[in-house]
Amino acid sequence: MNHFNASRQPMQAQRPNTAPGSAEARKLAEGLMDTMSALLGLIERETELVRAGKVREAMTLKSKKQELSRNYVGAVSQLKASQAQLAKSAPELLSTLHRHHDAFRAMLQVNLTVLATAHAVSESVVRGVNAEIQKRNVPNTYTAAGRRAAPGPRHITPLAVSRSL
């Protein structure tokens, strides 16, 4: 049995190291921070535009935002593979990366809140317009009991909305 273990040890030593080195891990972390910074700047710009009601202009940022998001996801997956190496070789960089990511996440939450608010407002506007249109199309009639009659399906007019700006 000792002979079996002795023969396995050289095999393990010859196995190629798949984990990136310290310099590669540092490069990945710095690349991720650069990507997060670029994406954060774009998200802040989008948030400002949506808050100002410039939705059409904010929509022009979509392709760049998708590209940066893909880069971010790729960088995160690469960094996860080398996290242990980075923790050993550059723990201060890893803690900086965590702080940067926390700020990034907070700004994403603000952006999502602004987008959700804009969505809710636009939905409310469309529902209000629809309610006004339906009021105009429904005849004002009363039942024998003196109550207002509910409109039938033939009196309800569909509302068509173009989703393109």
Side-chain angles (χ1 to χ4, degrees):
M1 190 140 188
N2 272 343
H3 180 49
F4 180 73
N5 285 340
S7 67
R8 286 197 60 162
Q9 287 176 353
M11 295 280 285
Q12 289 175 351
Q14 292 173 358
R15 204 172 57 181
N17 186 7
T18 57
S22 174
E24 289 179 54
R26 184 175 290 277
K27 184 178 175 185
L28 286 173
E30 290 170 354
L32 178 60
M33 283 194 285
D34 291 343
T35 301
M36 279 194 294
S37 294
L39 190 54
L40 189 60
L42 191 68
I43 287 171
E44 286 174 345
R45 177 73 179 135
E46 180 186 52
T47 302
E48 291 170 7
L49 290 171
V50 171
R51 279 184 176 158
K54 298 177 181 178
V55 177
R56 186 176 304 196
E57 193 176 334
M59 289 177 60
T60 62
L61 304 174
K62 179 182 176 181
S63 62
K64 184 67 175 169
K65 186 176 172 184
Q66 286 176 335
E67 177 189 337
L68 287 172
S69 295
R70 275 193 299 275
N71 293 346
Y72 170 76
V73 169
V76 166
S77 63
Q78 287 178 339
L79 193 65
K80 279 184 180 180
S82 64
Q83 186 174 0
Q85 179 71 22
L86 189 61
K88 290 177 187 174
S89 64
E92 71 287 342
L93 183 61
L94 193 59
S95 65
T96 300
L97 187 62
H98 283 293
R99 283 193 309 274
H100 199 72
H101 194 264
D102 289 341
F104 178 72
R105 206 172 332 145
M107 188 59 201
L108 276 179
Q109 188 61 45
V110 169
N111 179 262
L112 290 174
T113 302
V114 168
L115 292 176
T117 302
H119 181 268
V121 167
S122 63
E123 185 176 335
S124 175
V125 168
V126 170
R127 288 184 189 276
V129 168
N130 184 43
E132 287 299 316
I133 289 172
Q134 299 310 322
K135 279 184 191 176
R136 292 181 184 167
N137 292 333
V138 175
N140 285 331
T141 58
Y142 294 90
T143 63
R147 295 191 183 135
R148 190 171 183 151
R154 69 185 182 127
H155 295 292
I156 296 176
T157 306
L159 175 66
V161 177
S162 172
R163 291 184 179 248
S164 65
L165 294 174

